[in-house]
Amino acid sequence: AALEGVVEYRNVTFAYPGAESPVLSNISFTARPGETVAIIGSTGAGKTSLLSLLPRLYDIAEGEVLLDGVPVSDLDRAEITKRVAMVPQRPYLFSGTIEHNLRFGKTEATDQELWDALQIAQGEDFVRAKKNGLNARIAQGGTNVSGGQRQRLCIARALVTRPKVYLFDDSFSALDVATDARLRAALKRTTADATVIIVAQRITTITDADQILVLDNGRIVDRGTHEELLETSPTYQEIVES
Ligand code: M5T
Ligand code: MG
């Protein structure tokens, strides 16, 4: 099959509707299948805004966001979500069973596929520990599961859709370091052929990324691998030391 899941941002400038100044300026990068691109930067730098442009949560005024060479503005959201799964910064669970929450967006998945996704997302144990397993009920907004459990269920939900592109917006922040490391190792095996774009606060989550983009005030100020940035980027050094 042809390469699928190539993401390219080309000179993207973006302002929220009604806002006076752009939150993203002249953003360009490419993420290819098999690669992990990490985005790091202080709060308000524009990381979430940057991710949200691929699934077309907003349309851009300048530049282009391309998925497999096609501007996303020419694709409808349903076509994009077949190929792109985003785990949002505030992952949402709705009132229903764990199974309902995991199948969201892909009803034909088998129970085995749900368990496989839970295993990768490090959520298998706590679901098995529940009396009703996959049929255990989740309260509206996921208030009866912990923040880390909610993140893991939302990661499992993304895995169930078998996307070509994964967008993780700070998806590992509520996990302890050991669980984070196990999850990412499992994820790496599963997503070996996928394109992964990951926003993270914790440096250890991104040190092995193929490319790290340092975002500051809506601009990519530096880019490279962890080792390269340690040498060349004062902004990155500040983040590492903080
Ligand atoms: C970047 C503004 C926000 C900030 C800037 C999501 C969102 C953001 N903004 C809006 O005006 N409307 C919105 O719906 O855009 O915000 P961000 O992209 O959320 O930044 P971040 O993800 O790097 O920050 P954080 O805190 O998640 O690390 O001026 O007001
Ligand atoms: Mg954010």
Side-chain angles (χ1 to χ4, degrees):
L3 268 193
E4 277 184 291
V6 180
V7 173
E8 185 182 356
Y9 282 52
R10 212 180 268 168
N11 303 316
V12 172
T13 294
F14 168 66
Y16 281 100
E20 282 186 7
S21 48
V23 293
L24 295 170
S25 301
N26 205 27
I27 301 291
S28 296
F29 71 93
T30 304
R32 295 182 183 80
E35 284 181 355
T36 296
V37 171
I39 300 164
I40 194 155
S42 56
T43 180
K47 306 181 295 295
T48 295
S49 305
L50 189 156
L51 289 188
S52 72
L53 300 179
L54 182 59
R56 273 192 73 191
L57 300 188
Y58 296 94
D59 282 326
I60 53 174
E62 271 179 67
E64 276 184 318
V65 176
L66 303 139
L67 179 59
D68 295 322
V70 179
V72 291
S73 53
D74 292 347
L75 300 169
D76 60 42
R77 287 197 181 84
E79 274 177 86
I80 300 170
T81 50
K82 263 187 233 156
R83 280 183 272 170
V84 178
M86 171 143 101
V87 180
Q89 191 165 12
R90 280 188 208 81
Y92 188 74
L93 296 174
F94 52 85
S95 163
T97 63
I98 288 178
E99 179 175 349
H100 290 145
N101 270 279
L102 292 180
R103 286 182 189 282
F104 181 76
K106 192 177 182 183
T107 49
E108 68 269 31
T110 64
D111 277 10
Q112 187 56 51
E113 286 173 319
L114 301 185
W115 283 113
D116 290 347
L118 283 169
Q119 188 187 25
I120 296 158
Q122 309 299 309
E124 191 186 2
D125 291 353
F126 84 79
V127 176
R128 286 213 189 277
K130 289 196 177 287
K131 195 171 59 181
N132 297 321
L134 288 173
N135 293 319
R137 289 203 69 82
I138 300 286
Q140 181 76 28
T143 49
N144 62 339
V145 295
S146 76
Q149 289 170 343
R150 193 173 350 179
Q151 283 192 330
R152 284 176 278 169
L153 288 175
C154 290
I155 292 165
R157 174 195 284 160
L159 287 162
V160 168
T161 69
R162 294 178 175 278
K164 304 291 179 197
V165 182
Y166 289 88
L167 305 178
F168 293 111
D169 192 350
D170 211 7
S171 304
F172 316 104
S173 58
L175 308 176
D176 60 77
V177 174
T179 306
D180 178 22
R182 273 203 308 278
L183 198 161
R184 283 181 303 99
L187 212 50
K188 211 170 180 173
R189 291 191 290 273
T190 320
T191 63
D193 300 324
T195 304
V196 178
I197 304 178
I198 168 174
V199 166
Q201 304 287 350
R202 192 152 51 203
I203 288 287
T204 54
T205 308
I206 61 155
T207 43
D208 56 356
D210 298 290
Q211 188 179 192
I212 300 169
L213 311 177
V214 182
L215 203 63
D216 187 24
N217 212 357
R219 293 174 187 276
I220 299 176
V221 292
D222 290 304
R223 67 179 79 206
T225 62
H226 175 69
E227 286 73 22
E228 287 164 355
L229 289 169
L230 281 180
E231 297 272 319
T232 60
S233 171
T235 315
Y236 189 73
Q237 287 156 13
E238 264 175 46
I239 296 168
V240 171
E241 283 157 19
S242 66

